[in-house]
Amino acid sequence: MKPVSRVLWLGCVLVFCFQVLVPCGLPGVCGLDNGLAMTPTMGWLHWERFMCNVNCQEEPDSCISEKLFLQIAEIMASDGWKDVGYEYICIDDCWMAPERDSKGRLQADPKRFPGGIRRLANYVHSKGLKLGIYADVGNKTCAGFPGSFGYYDIDAQTFADWGVDLLKFDGCYCDSIQHLAEGYKQMSLALNRTGRSIVYSCEWPLYMWPIFKPNYTEIREYCNHWRNFADIYDSWQSIRNTLDWTSSNQKIIVPVAGPGGWNDPDMLVIGNFGLSRDQQITQMALWAIMAAPLLMSNDLRHISPEAKALLQDKDVIAINQDRLGRQGYRLRKENNFEVWERPLLNLAWAVAIVNLQEIGGPRSYTISVTSLGRGLACNPDCLITELLPEKRKLGFYEWTSSLKTQINPTGTVLLRLERTSSVQFSYSAVSDSL
Ligand code: GLA
């Protein structure tokens, strides 16, 4: 080969490798190349609502058994959940038998999952849904079942053989930070080697933070989403803590989120016991702004029509699933109000205004639209639609107008702003100026 054509050939190979192996969103932030989670994962995960209830004798309807997942899958397919995008039905901890089988493979508890995971996966697939499962990078799962340390390839292959479509990989009982990082990477590679498309949900940064600041660029190369912060509880305090952590760390975590890799603020607890109507609205609105995986943990067999309508709200889901794939951030905090915003496709913006005051009645908040969307959301004018708590068109706003809202205590007003005329704008400005 002549030197020039060799250079050309090498150049082509490098360009090819770069394009095929390194899908990059923001410059320098490359994602796991498994083609999955191009928008945040949507589905259902058992943990917050059903935890580690293994007592099927006394509580046959709420213990962790194949019956629970068969019933939830059936409802997800028939009650409109699948139609709006909830696709993954995910098993969390406590599905395993206490020991591996004679070949070293994980096995489901035979009493609670008599048909095994393979049969459950077949049923879930027959409903047009996908199945998620749970394992742990260390020696034991958080609830004390067998861990995957030393078994990453065997476990990845077992999950692929069963037809699993998502793995939540926890980080309990890992003896060193090196084993933690290596384990998360090795499991990612092992899943890829199976050739099956398996969404990889990590808790890697959550277990790193107490020791040192996680390397998010690296985490994004291996995981489709990652938990950063403590487990969610069915309480307003827990929602607030999660939002506070997210906004306090937004400079670090917002720029890394994008198609293929998302920050995971944990499950939606809407439809349970601990949140008021306004607080449920706040969770739904803010999870949309944060481009969070929407993994409900509730009992879809017994859910109020209001909670169902909120979780199935197509306009709010459209913000969560927006194809631009940019996570929103907190713009302002004043007088116990917070304003969050998120850039959307076609120069549109989502804006959430939260009233954090827990005393008194609804309070009004007035904002000049000039300050929204980096000064461009309403330049020269925009159409504003309120999505939550009510769905209504608020009308046209000029660049110099003010928008007045009334917000219940611990509630949120979620707005969508559409530009009425377009100007050139580079979204890199958004992450640069965070
Ligand atoms: C950890 C995780 C939770 C859940 C439990 C299960 O606490 O963060 O989401 O998976 O383990 O034991």
Side-chain angles (χ1 to χ4, degrees):
M1 207 185 275
K2 282 191 206 145
V4 174
S5 55
R6 190 182 301 144
V7 168
L8 262 177
W9 182 81
L10 251 178
C12 289
V13 168
L14 281 174
V15 167
F16 175 79
C17 288
F18 189 75
Q19 286 179 342
V20 172
L21 300 177
V22 195
C24 297
L26 292 175
V29 182
C30 303
L32 169 60
D33 181 27
N34 62 3
L36 300 171
M38 298 312 282
T39 61
T41 303
M42 291 179 66
W44 183 92
L45 175 62
H46 94 239
W47 185 256
E48 195 288 323
R49 178 64 189 254
F50 295 97
M51 301 185 71
C52 193
N53 183 352
V54 292
N55 187 354
C56 293
Q57 299 272 265
E58 282 175 37
E59 292 172 294
D61 290 332
S62 51
C63 68
I64 306 312
S65 70
E66 69 176 20
K67 185 176 151 194
L68 174 67
F69 295 96
L70 294 172
Q71 290 181 347
I72 298 287
E74 150 68 24
I75 290 172
M76 272 175 74
S78 63
D79 262 4
W81 301 100
K82 186 179 99 177
D83 299 338
V84 296
Y86 295 98
E87 189 181 15
Y88 288 81
I89 171 159
C90 304
I91 308 171
D92 207 288
D93 205 347
C94 306
W95 62 270
M96 295 173 197
E99 305 291 341
R100 289 174 177 268
D101 73 6
S102 57
K103 294 190 173 137
R105 291 172 304 197
L106 290 171
Q107 46 189 348
D109 183 284
K111 282 221 175 64
R112 293 182 286 117
F113 292 84
I117 303 297
R118 173 83 252 184
R119 193 175 77 180
L120 179 56
N122 286 345
Y123 180 80
V124 165
H125 295 154
S126 77
K127 295 279 162 194
L129 298 167
K130 299 200 155 100
L131 184 71
I133 208 160
Y134 167 101
D136 189 287
V137 71
N139 294 308
K140 282 191 269 180
T141 72
C142 296
F145 290 85
S148 295
F149 184 71
Y151 294 90
Y152 299 132
D153 275 298
I154 295 179
D155 291 354
Q157 195 55 53
T158 304
F159 299 146
D161 293 344
W162 285 342
V164 161
D165 308 289
L166 177 149
L167 173 64
K168 171 173 173 177
F169 209 37
D170 211 337
C172 276
Y173 297 104
C174 198
D175 56 12
S176 71
I177 202 81
Q178 284 75 22
H179 280 157
L180 185 85
E182 279 311 307
Y184 271 104
K185 291 187 209 172
Q186 280 181 34
M187 185 49 114
S188 179
L189 299 173
L191 290 172
N192 263 355
R193 278 195 293 273
T194 68
R196 188 173 172 84
S197 291
I198 301 177
V199 171
Y200 187 39
S201 167
C202 300
E203 298 204 33
W204 182 359
L206 169 62
Y207 290 89
M208 290 280 286
W209 271 110
I211 299 157
F212 52 77
K213 188 181 141 194
N215 176 350
Y216 278 98
T217 310
E218 181 174 55
I219 288 167
R220 188 180 156 82
E221 282 168 27
Y222 290 94
C223 302
N224 290 120
H225 27 96
W226 47 86
R227 285 270 310 282
N228 296 308
F229 185 63
D231 291 1
I232 204 145
Y233 278 46
D234 187 13
S235 75
W236 174 240
Q237 189 58 51
S238 175
I239 303 292
R240 273 212 68 165
N241 292 346
T242 306
L243 293 175
D244 285 348
W245 188 90
T246 303
S247 52
S248 312
N249 292 282
Q250 61 186 11
K251 278 204 164 70
I252 303 168
I253 64 166
V254 168
V256 283
W262 311 97
N263 290 294
D264 177 6
D266 213 0
M267 294 158 268
L268 291 168
V269 293
I270 296 165
N272 291 323
F273 308 96
L275 301 185
S276 71
R277 168 86 187 142
D278 286 297
Q279 293 160 358
Q280 297 185 45
I281 287 171
T282 296
Q283 191 184 28
M284 195 67 191
L286 272 293
W287 263 235
I289 294 279
M290 292 189 291
L294 297 182
L295 293 167
M296 305 177 283
S297 194
N298 49 20
D299 190 344
L300 297 181
R301 298 165 300 185
H302 309 283
I303 188 163
S304 71
E306 293 77 26
K308 183 175 171 189
L310 178 59
L311 287 161
Q312 292 193 358
D313 188 316
K314 287 188 185 148
D315 296 321
V316 182
I317 291 173
I319 289 177
N320 175 273
Q321 296 285 300
D322 185 84
R323 291 263 161 196
L324 185 63
R326 290 288 164 85
Q327 180 173 340
Y329 48 86
R330 193 177 72 189
L331 175 67
R332 183 177 307 166
K333 182 178 168 67
E334 62 181 352
N335 192 20
N336 247 337
F337 287 103
E338 288 190 1
V339 181
W340 292 62
E341 63 178 18
R342 174 177 175 186
L344 304 172
L345 261 189
N346 299 327
L347 307 179
W349 287 78
V351 173
I353 309 171
V354 194
N355 173 9
L356 290 169
Q357 191 155 288
E358 293 176 41
I359 188 168
R363 291 195 301 151
S364 56
Y365 184 76
T366 302
I367 188 163
S368 130
V369 298
T370 320
S371 60
L372 297 173
R374 304 291 173 201
L376 290 161
C378 291
N379 185 359
D381 48 28
C382 64
L383 176 64
I384 304 186
T385 310
E386 180 179 311
L387 302 181
L388 291 173
E390 306 283 330
K391 200 145 296 185
R392 54 194 176 124
K393 285 208 160 56
L394 300 185
F396 288 95
Y397 285 74
E398 289 179 352
W399 200 55
T400 49
S401 332
S402 289
L403 173 74
K404 190 173 175 192
T405 55
Q406 275 271 321
I407 315 165
N408 290 348
T410 66
T412 293
V413 168
L414 179 66
L415 307 166
R416 188 181 174 103
L417 281 57
E418 309 274 355
R419 286 274 303 283
T420 42
S421 48
S422 59
V423 291
Q424 288 294 318
F425 174 54
S426 158
Y427 278 107
S428 60
V430 172
S431 40
D432 291 350
S433 51
L434 262 178

